[in-house]
Amino acid sequence: MIEEKVISYFNRFPQLRILFFFDENNEHLEEVQKLNLSGIHKEFWENNPFSLKCKLTEELVNKKVLLHLPLPLPVDKESSQNFPLMGLLLANKELQLDNVGTFMEDYNLQRHQKALIAHYISELKYAGVQEVCKPILNPSTLTEAALQKALFSAFLKFKNIESWWLQVAKLLTLANYSDQSELQRVINKVTNLNFENEVIRHLKEATGVAIQKINKESLLDVARSILYNKLTQTIPTAKNTDPYGNFKITDSTQLTRLNQMLQEVEKNATLKSSFEELLESVSNDIRGAKLIEVYGDEGEFSEFNTEMIWAVVNKIQDHLASAPAEIIKKIELISLQSNIDAEVKNTLKYIVQIAKMQLRINVIATYILDTPEDYILSYTSEWYKIDSNYRKAIAIYKNLNFAEIPIQINLDKIHEELNTTYEKHTDVLNREWLKCLNHFNFDYSKIKAPKQYDFYNTEIEPTKVKVVVIISDALRYEVAYELLSEMHSDSKNTAEIRYMLASIPSKTNVGMAQLLPGKNKKFNNGDILSEGISISGTDNRTKILQLQNKDAHAYQYSDIEKLNQSAKREIFKKPVVYIYHDVIDATGDKKPSERRTFEAVKEAINELKIMVKNLHATHAVTKVIVTADHGFLYNDREIEEKSLEQLPSIDIVQSHNRYFLTIDNSLRDLGYSFPLKATTIFEDDLHVTVPFSVNRYRKQGVGHQFVHCGGSLQELIIPLIESSRKLEAVTQKVSPLIINKGALKIVSNILKLNLLQEQEVSRTHKERLLSIGLYNNLSLVSNEENIVLNYTSEAPSERMLRVELLLTSEAASEAFLKLKIFDNEDKLNPLIEELIQNNTLIQTDF
């Protein structure tokens, strides 16, 4: 618009030489700088009146000049006398932008709209404002209400005309700025144009709060009301004890509008963060801890903010051992919220894992079972989950930012009790398990369970298809179960898990030897031989494998990883391939790095998941088996020196911190002693001694937190995952289930529902993509939520999610609507269809 006016001035006044443009606040400076005016020179005032005057009267005397000045127009005698270029100004002209007639011509407005434009021309003259207002600057849509809405959008620096909900929200955020100049700028503009009352009216409609004037404190008071009602709108006010009760909005229409504003803000990525900062700021006034004190942690709050969650944690932290089920339920319902701070969420996850571990321990009626098979069945069906919960709790704990957690949350005590509980469990469990094994003389031949030393004969030799065996060092059973869940996220994967009983001592070379073929195996003082060939190194293992299958081969995972795809394709054409993967043991078995064992577990799971999928999908391997040489025990706190047991000083063939080998069994007072051949297929006449439970022997130079080689269930129960992959995706998908089905109602234009994924993603059930919305007949009358059901956890509580649907204004008067949940691949036939009562029935256009 400036360019056109400048050209117009010089065209209309051929003798005009200097066109003065007074731009007091530099609002048009950028636009002027960008102007490309043919035949017109641009000059800028730089507080240089003398040199500028000389330049204009001498150097530029024959040129047409647009002179930009960041000064007010001299309008009175005093300012005219003080303006050094007044003579030139009188001889030339001033560029004016507030030409109402020109403006109306530009936008083809009608004569009766001139008074409206004249009233607002002081702002409409700016190009930036016009750009925002452009959609309503036409004869058919221009009204004062529409213009005020557009102007206020421009004042708030929106790029487009936004809803009053977003404008009110943006206005409120300005009150949270330390520099109040921006808020004051907006206030001045609406005040100067005399529509402050219109803004206040819309603010009340959006928030339910009436204010007299727009200022920082009144806006912060509105924010306090928003926060309070956002948290408490679903519970009646405790008038005598709630210090914030005066903020309560009881009118359903106002609550509806407030919720719609909050929903609009939630969808606006730019505004969302600053609005959350505003509510966080006023949470110092609306104290979440006080709300929990007044209404209790059982209060049916519509939402929990950070302080409220910390208050709940503070109340429950002393009851993890006595009421874990109640704590799990409480925290998981809170965790369904989508807007929880990351550190709070991690703390809740930590506590849930502790509570789940405690709950599983609490339900163990007795650790004394009749047979080894009973122990193995109990461990592989339920007890392994205790180890998993402990591992996950420790992993989360090590990543917590303690500086962000309130001091009243006694994490030291919680963590100490976690370790004490877990250590007691593993000690008592394995003390009884080993007693039972001892009763059977550690004779594996009498135990009806798959043995590690039978692996090749039972799993590989009968196989008629191409098979890859991945042996992951120290991949214990509970870790493999998590790996299995991760593998199931592949829609074509059909893996399943079994177990085997590893040999004792449960050490790497013993386990590796048992997994290789060969009838004639010797311990050979630790340099183990199979058919006279040392089992050390992949070259020797290849030789052993080729005694059974001439085309078989063994590789290290690290060597495979370095190869290009062409080389890998050649390798996996072989009928039998053994791959040795070492991440967990490589980290845990070294004293300096054993504290990072659980980090290594996560890395191992990720590597194995990717490798298995690539073997199937890229290299057409029909069958992949993942197993281990042994498991491990891990305690997160250091084992005290005084807790270590003394190894004998004489007659030891070999020893470590969980076993020693001797010629005879004369040292039975130091643990259970039994023939090496009882749990292996070695024929050497040696005896193994292991501690009576999870005790460690004192061994110099080694770590004692991560251990194996002993006879605990965690060390001996090893996984056998058998994976195959179908050409097409498994067709059966997981199913959604509405948890609070009977209580569903639309309140304040919002429907909140909790969904449960009925089955975990597994070999037989794969993920499902859902589309969820409210419908009036066939028309969608709410937001449409797209949800992926892909949870792999066995625990139903870990397969829950919350969905919120906001009703549109068009359907607000409908008494009943239908909730429909579709599979995204079939939008004609809903999986779930429920009639929902609308308790709102009021809605206004906003």
Side-chain angles (χ1 to χ4, degrees):
M1 188 174 181
I2 291 178
E3 181 176 354
E4 294 172 2
K5 281 189 171 292
V6 170
I7 293 171
S8 174
Y9 266 82
F10 283 108
N11 287 339
R12 283 186 289 135
F13 306 100
Q15 303 305 315
L16 176 64
R17 197 169 65 78
I18 305 172
L19 182 60
F20 286 72
F21 182 20
F22 292 92
D23 183 16
E24 182 177 357
N25 296 315
N26 269 330
E27 292 184 83
H28 299 286
L29 176 60
E30 185 177 353
E31 187 175 354
V32 173
Q33 289 172 335
K34 292 180 179 178
L35 291 177
N36 185 16
L37 300 167
S38 176
I40 301 172
H41 175 80
K42 291 183 297 182
E43 191 65 33
F44 297 89
W45 169 279
E46 295 177 349
N47 203 22
N48 55 343
F50 179 77
S51 59
L52 179 61
K53 186 173 184 179
C54 292
K55 188 174 183 180
L56 291 170
T57 56
E58 297 175 11
E59 180 182 339
L60 301 175
V61 67
N62 294 319
K63 292 184 178 292
K64 297 182 183 297
V65 178
L66 170 64
L67 175 60
H68 178 274
L69 304 97
L71 304 172
L73 173 70
V75 292
D76 54 25
K77 184 177 180 180
E78 182 179 354
S79 60
S80 298
Q81 290 175 344
N82 291 332
F83 184 54
L85 303 180
M86 195 63 200
L88 289 173
L89 175 60
L90 292 174
N92 290 277
K93 289 190 179 295
E94 170 218 353
L95 174 63
Q96 297 186 26
L97 299 180
D98 58 349
N99 189 316
V100 177
T102 303
F103 184 93
M104 294 187 66
E105 287 178 7
D106 290 341
Y107 289 99
N108 298 313
L109 299 178
Q110 296 179 0
R111 187 176 301 170
H112 71 274
Q113 295 170 319
K114 185 172 183 178
L116 179 61
I117 297 302
H119 180 72
Y120 294 101
I121 195 67
S122 60
E123 293 294 339
L124 287 172
K125 66 185 179 181
Y126 300 121
V129 173
Q130 289 179 36
E131 187 63 30
V132 176
C133 297
K134 190 178 292 183
I136 56 98
L137 292 177
N138 59 76
S140 60
T141 59
L142 180 63
T143 63
E144 185 163 21
L147 185 55
Q148 288 174 342
K149 183 178 182 180
L151 285 169
F152 200 53
S153 289
F155 298 163
L156 292 169
K157 298 184 177 178
F158 284 113
K159 300 295 184 184
N160 303 295
I161 302 173
E162 297 291 356
S163 69
W164 277 107
W165 284 308
L166 289 182
Q167 293 192 59
V168 167
K170 180 73 175 285
L171 175 64
L172 291 170
T173 64
L174 300 184
N176 200 36
Y177 291 6
S178 55
D179 181 0
Q180 287 296 289
S181 59
E182 185 65 12
L183 173 62
Q184 194 57 51
R185 180 188 67 82
V186 174
I187 292 172
N188 290 344
K189 285 184 178 292
V190 297
T191 303
N192 292 340
L193 292 175
N194 198 30
F195 72 96
E196 181 182 12
N197 287 339
E198 184 68 8
V199 174
I200 290 173
R201 181 177 72 82
H202 283 292
L203 186 145
K204 181 179 185 301
E205 287 185 359
T207 68
V209 182
I211 62 173
Q212 300 302 312
K213 297 287 290 181
I214 302 175
N215 54 51
K216 177 177 180 176
E217 189 49 45
S218 66
L219 294 178
L220 288 178
D221 224 29
V222 174
R224 295 179 188 109
S225 174
I226 291 172
L227 176 61
Y228 177 80
N229 287 283
K230 187 169 184 274
L231 301 174
T232 66
Q233 61 181 270
T234 53
I235 55 176
T237 306
K239 294 182 180 179
N240 296 327
T241 55
D242 185 349
Y244 318 121
N246 289 337
F247 287 116
K248 185 72 172 180
I249 298 174
T250 56
D251 184 275
S252 61
T253 305
Q254 296 287 11
L255 276 177
T256 295
R257 292 170 180 157
L258 174 60
N259 287 331
Q260 287 180 311
M261 185 188 82
L262 294 173
Q263 193 77 15
E264 288 289 312
V265 171
E266 183 72 21
K267 292 186 290 186
N268 189 296
T270 306
L271 183 56
K272 180 182 176 182
S273 60
S274 58
F275 195 78
E276 287 175 349
E277 288 171 8
L278 168 68
L279 296 187
E280 178 64 27
S281 176
V282 297
S283 69
N284 293 321
D285 305 314
I286 308 298
R287 303 309 302 253
K290 186 64 178 179
L291 292 173
I292 296 297
E293 178 187 327
V294 172
Y295 296 101
D297 55 2
E298 301 293 341
E300 294 184 4
F301 295 99
S302 52
E303 189 177 307
F304 289 79
N305 69 1
T306 297
E307 186 178 346
M308 293 169 72
I309 296 173
W310 288 133
V312 171
V313 173
N314 186 38
K315 290 187 72 173
I316 66 175
Q317 63 182 327
D318 292 329
H319 306 289
L320 282 165
S322 58
E326 293 81 355
I327 288 172
I328 293 167
K329 181 179 179 182
K330 189 172 299 181
I331 289 183
E332 288 186 336
L333 283 174
I334 293 174
S335 300
L336 287 173
Q337 293 179 194
S338 60
N339 57 342
I340 299 177
D341 175 78
E343 207 52 52
V344 178
K345 185 170 286 188
N346 286 334
T347 305
L348 294 181
K349 288 179 179 178
Y350 170 64
I351 290 174
V352 165
Q353 290 299 333
I354 295 174
K356 287 183 175 180
M357 184 195 81
Q358 185 69 62
L359 180 61
R360 291 188 166 111
I361 292 173
N362 287 357
V363 299
I364 297 175
T366 179
Y367 287 100
I368 302 173
L369 306 180
D370 294 332
T371 66
E373 291 87 349
D374 291 337
Y375 280 98
I376 293 169
L377 178 61
S378 294
Y379 186 79
T380 56
S381 60
E382 284 297 325
W383 292 349
Y384 77 89
K385 298 173 187 176
I386 296 171
D387 300 317
S388 184
N389 293 139
Y390 177 75
R391 172 174 59 82
K392 291 175 182 176
I394 295 296
I396 296 168
Y397 178 81
K398 290 190 174 183
N399 286 295
L400 290 178
N401 181 358
F402 298 98
E404 298 292 323
I405 299 172
I407 194 169
Q408 64 265 31
I409 310 302
N410 194 342
L411 281 178
D412 288 342
K413 181 184 176 185
I414 293 172
H415 202 62
E416 181 76 15
E417 290 175 353
L418 163 65
N419 280 305
T420 299
T421 302
Y422 181 71
E423 288 165 12
K424 180 181 178 182
H425 160 75
T426 54
D427 177 55
V428 177
L429 167 62
N430 286 297
R431 193 170 297 279
E432 297 302 330
W433 152 250
L434 288 166
K435 278 183 188 176
C436 184
L437 272 185
N438 186 55
H439 182 73
F440 285 82
N441 299 316
F442 286 83
D443 186 351
Y444 275 19
S445 66
K446 296 179 180 178
I447 300 175
K448 296 175 182 177
K451 317 298 190 309
Q452 185 184 48
Y453 54 62
D454 290 327
F455 171 76
Y456 192 90
N457 293 335
T458 59
E459 302 296 336
I460 307 303
E461 190 172 37
T463 299
K464 304 301 181 186
V465 296
K466 185 163 57 174
V467 61
V468 173
V469 177
I470 305 173
I471 303 171
S472 185
D473 205 327
L475 184 77
R476 72 180 182 185
Y477 187 79
E478 63 91 4
V479 175
Y481 218 103
E482 184 170 328
L483 168 62
L484 180 75
S485 295
E486 292 288 328
M487 290 165 61
H488 283 157
S489 62
D490 176 1
S491 62
K492 298 179 181 179
N493 183 277
T494 58
E496 59 183 2
I497 192 169
R498 292 175 275 139
Y499 64 86
M500 297 185 293
L501 192 57
S503 298
I504 307 175
S506 52
K507 61 196 301 276
T508 298
N509 63 349
V510 172
M512 296 301 181
Q514 311 305 301
L515 294 167
L516 286 166
K519 296 179 180 178
N520 182 20
K521 294 181 181 177
K522 293 183 179 179
F523 185 72
N524 194 35
N525 290 325
D527 183 15
I528 300 173
L529 304 174
S530 178
E531 306 299 347
I533 303 171
S534 170
I535 64 132
S536 297
T538 51
D539 288 343
N540 286 334
R541 292 170 187 174
T542 296
K543 293 175 184 177
I544 295 168
L545 287 168
Q546 288 179 350
L547 293 175
Q548 300 296 319
N549 188 316
K550 63 183 179 61
D551 295 318
H553 214 288
Y555 300 91
Q556 289 291 342
Y557 172 87
S558 55
D559 292 333
I560 294 279
E561 199 177 27
K562 298 172 187 174
L563 300 175
N564 59 35
Q565 292 302 313
S566 177
K568 288 178 183 177
R569 277 193 290 271
E570 288 304 310
I571 286 174
F572 295 118
K573 288 178 182 178
K574 303 179 188 300
V576 177
V577 176
Y578 270 45
I579 298 175
Y580 293 91
H581 177 261
D582 187 8
V583 173
I584 300 172
D585 197 76
T587 302
D589 219 18
K590 297 181 180 68
K591 189 174 183 178
S593 59
E594 64 177 346
R595 61 188 173 82
R596 295 200 300 271
T597 295
F598 290 160
E599 295 173 35
V601 164
K602 187 176 181 180
E603 182 183 347
I605 290 172
N606 190 53
E607 287 186 356
L608 293 169
K609 175 183 71 173
I610 293 170
M611 170 162 256
V612 171
K613 185 171 183 177
N614 286 340
L615 287 171
H616 288 310
T618 306
H619 304 298
V621 176
T622 307
K623 183 176 181 180
V624 178
I625 291 176
V626 182
T627 188
D629 49 352
H630 56 77
F632 66 88
L633 282 167
Y634 180 82
N635 295 94
D636 191 54
R637 54 184 176 185
E638 292 186 15
I639 308 298
E640 295 182 4
E641 183 70 18
K642 65 181 180 180
S643 301
L644 300 176
E645 298 187 10
Q646 189 65 44
L647 281 166
S649 57
I650 57 172
D651 298 329
I652 293 182
V653 175
Q654 193 178 83
S655 69
H656 208 274
N657 54 11
R658 286 285 291 153
Y659 82 102
F660 60 87
L661 293 174
T662 56
I663 302 296
D664 57 35
N665 63 346
S666 60
L667 300 172
R668 300 177 70 88
D669 57 329
L670 295 178
Y672 292 112
S673 185
F674 48 90
L676 177 64
K677 63 183 68 175
T679 69
T680 70
I681 56 171
F682 300 137
E683 292 301 321
D684 309 61
D685 289 324
L686 293 172
H687 279 76
V688 186
T689 301
V690 295
F692 292 116
S693 182
V694 293
N695 322 51
R696 278 74 155 165
Y697 294 123
R698 185 175 288 107
K699 186 78 174 177
Q700 294 301 317
V702 302
H704 294 288
Q705 290 173 256
F706 171 95
V707 293
H708 56 89
C709 300
S712 70
L713 286 160
Q714 289 83 354
E715 294 164 293
L716 295 184
I717 304 298
I718 58 169
L720 193 160
I721 295 177
E722 183 176 332
S723 175
S724 60
R725 196 170 191 263
K726 296 191 173 184
L727 295 177
E728 297 181 356
V730 177
T731 55
Q732 191 169 7
K733 299 179 182 180
V734 295
S735 305
L737 180 69
I738 299 174
I739 297 173
N740 49 343
K741 186 173 181 180
L744 290 180
K745 289 183 177 65
I746 300 169
V747 179
S748 302
N749 262 35
I750 292 180
L751 174 67
K752 296 182 180 182
L753 63 147
N754 295 329
L755 279 183
L756 171 69
Q757 178 185 306
E758 276 199 89
Q759 309 86 7
E760 71 266 28
V761 171
S762 66
R763 182 174 62 89
T764 57
H765 290 81
K766 298 303 176 182
E767 72 174 34
R768 188 192 292 268
L769 181 61
L770 299 179
S771 171
I772 306 173
L774 289 169
Y775 289 80
N776 184 18
N777 295 321
L778 296 177
S779 301
L780 179 68
V781 291
S782 73
N783 53 308
E784 183 178 46
E785 290 291 325
N786 290 305
I787 304 292
V788 181
L789 297 182
N790 60 358
Y791 298 106
T792 58
S793 173
E794 284 185 297
S797 59
E798 294 179 4
R799 303 197 303 269
M800 291 167 55
L801 66 151
R802 176 172 293 174
V803 178
E804 292 191 7
L805 301 175
L806 180 68
L807 192 63
T808 61
S809 58
E810 292 83 1
S813 60
E814 299 293 330
F816 290 92
L817 297 157
K818 282 189 176 179
L819 168 67
K820 295 183 181 182
I821 301 178
F822 294 94
D823 185 304
N824 262 25
E825 295 180 358
D826 180 5
K827 299 297 284 287
L828 292 177
N829 304 295
L831 300 169
I832 296 175
E833 185 172 348
E834 287 290 324
L835 193 65
I836 306 295
Q837 183 177 346
N838 181 9
N839 282 6
T840 306
L841 298 181
I842 299 175
Q843 175 64 33
T844 59
D845 181 19
F846 215 58

